[in-house]
């Protein structure tokens, strides 16, 4: 369809061609209308159809391969990953309570027997001496110890006798009983006989002695 402007322009051109006489100066003729130039209307580009982008498909996680259990003595893997510790399953059933070891008291050993005098019990000491130089013990003489005094002591036999103890030694055992705990003493005189080698010269010797002891309580 032609636009109205184009129709009017065409009609004006036809009329101008038919009118050959010059226009009268008295009559003010309107100047022919100039051909209207029309500016073509820019066609709007077709609207773009929005196409929805496909949603990304979720990636499926690849299954992780479980590490194989390393045999005893195998070196660790190069990646440094530590293999998981094997799971231990406790045996079914009720666990028994741990037994507490009780030490059995050992029998108390009997106390050691006293190695010395004890109050109220008989004991004895030995009075010994060596013969003078050039003499020997006279085995025919009754050697004896005559007790006299002492401390914390009583004598069951106040004059015990003895004998030669070897070629030149004389020994007499003196029995006694302690009367108190602690230190005490046995006192008296040792009488002994000696002779020379030919037994032509014999004599009796008296020697005063004090023999200490320590008694334990009962």
């Amino acid at each position: 369809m032609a636009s109205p402007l184009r129709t009017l322009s065409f009609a004006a051109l036809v009329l101008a061609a038919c009118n050959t006489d010059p226009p009268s100066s008295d009559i003010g003729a309107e100047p022919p209308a100039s051909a209207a130039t029309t500016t073509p209307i820019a066609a709007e580009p077709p609207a773009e159809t929005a196409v929805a982008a496909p949603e990304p498909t979720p990636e499926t996680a690849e299954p992780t391969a479980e590490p194989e259990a390393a045999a005893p003595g195998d070196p660790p893997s190069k990646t440094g990953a530590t293999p998981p510790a094997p799971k231990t399953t406790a045996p079914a059933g009720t666990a028994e309570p741990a037994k507490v070891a009780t030490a059995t008291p050992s029998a108390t050993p009997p106390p050691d027997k006293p190695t010395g005098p004890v109050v109220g019990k008989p004991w004895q000491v030995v009075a010994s001496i060596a013969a003078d130089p050039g003499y020997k013990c006279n085995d025919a003489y009754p050697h004896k110890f005559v007790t006299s005094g002492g401390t914390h002591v009583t004598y069951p036999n106040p004059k015990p006798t003895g004998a030669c103890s070897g070629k030149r030694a004389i020994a007499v055992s003196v029995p006694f009983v302690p009367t108190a705990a602690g230190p005490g003493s046995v006192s008296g005189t040792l009488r002994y006989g000696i002779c020379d080698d030919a037994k032509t010269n014999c004599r009796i010797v008296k020697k005063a002695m004090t023999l200490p002891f320590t008694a334990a309580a009962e």
Side-chain angles (χ1 to χ4, degrees), residues 7-26:
T7 303
L8 293 176
S9 298
F10 180 75
L13 291 175
V14 173
L15 291 177
C18 293
N19 189 9
T20 57
D21 295 332
S24 175
S25 58
D26 297 333

Side-chain angles (χ1 to χ4, degrees), residues 126-130 145-148 150 155 170 172 174 185-192 206-212:
V126 177
S128 62
I129 197 169
F145 188 88
V146 180
T147 60
S148 58
Y155 302 106
I170 303 98
V172 178
V174 182
S185 62
V186 171
S187 297
T189 302
L190 177 62
R191 297 180 181 184
Y192 58 97
K206 299 178 181 179
K207 181 71 174 180
M209 291 184 174
T210 300
L211 308 174

Side-chain angles (χ1 to χ4, degrees), residues 14 31 39 44 62 75 85 88 104 111 119 122 126 159 190 195:
V14 173
T39 302
E44 295 181 0
E62 296 182 0
T88 56
T104 304
V119 175
V126 177
K159 295 180 180 181
L190 177 62
C195 297

Side-chain angles (χ1 to χ4, degrees), residues 90-96:
T94 305
E96 296 182 359

Side-chain angles (χ1 to χ4, degrees), residues 73-172:
D74 288 349
S77 61
K78 296 181 179 180
T79 57
T82 303
K87 296 181 180 180
T88 56
T89 305
T94 305
E96 296 182 359
K99 296 180 180 180
V100 179
T102 56
T104 304
S106 58
T108 304
D112 295 337
K113 294 182 179 180
T115 57
V118 178
V119 175
K121 296 183 179 181
W123 200 259
Q124 65 181 10
V125 291
V126 177
S128 62
I129 197 169
D132 297 343
Y135 290 83
K136 61 181 180 180
C137 178
N138 183 2
D139 53 7
Y141 183 82
H143 313 286
K144 67 176 88 170
F145 188 88
V146 180
T147 60
S148 58
T151 57
H152 306 298
V153 65
T154 58
Y155 302 106
N157 181 3
K159 295 180 180 181
T161 58
C164 294
S165 177
K167 184 177 180 180
R168 298 184 64 247
I170 303 98
V172 178

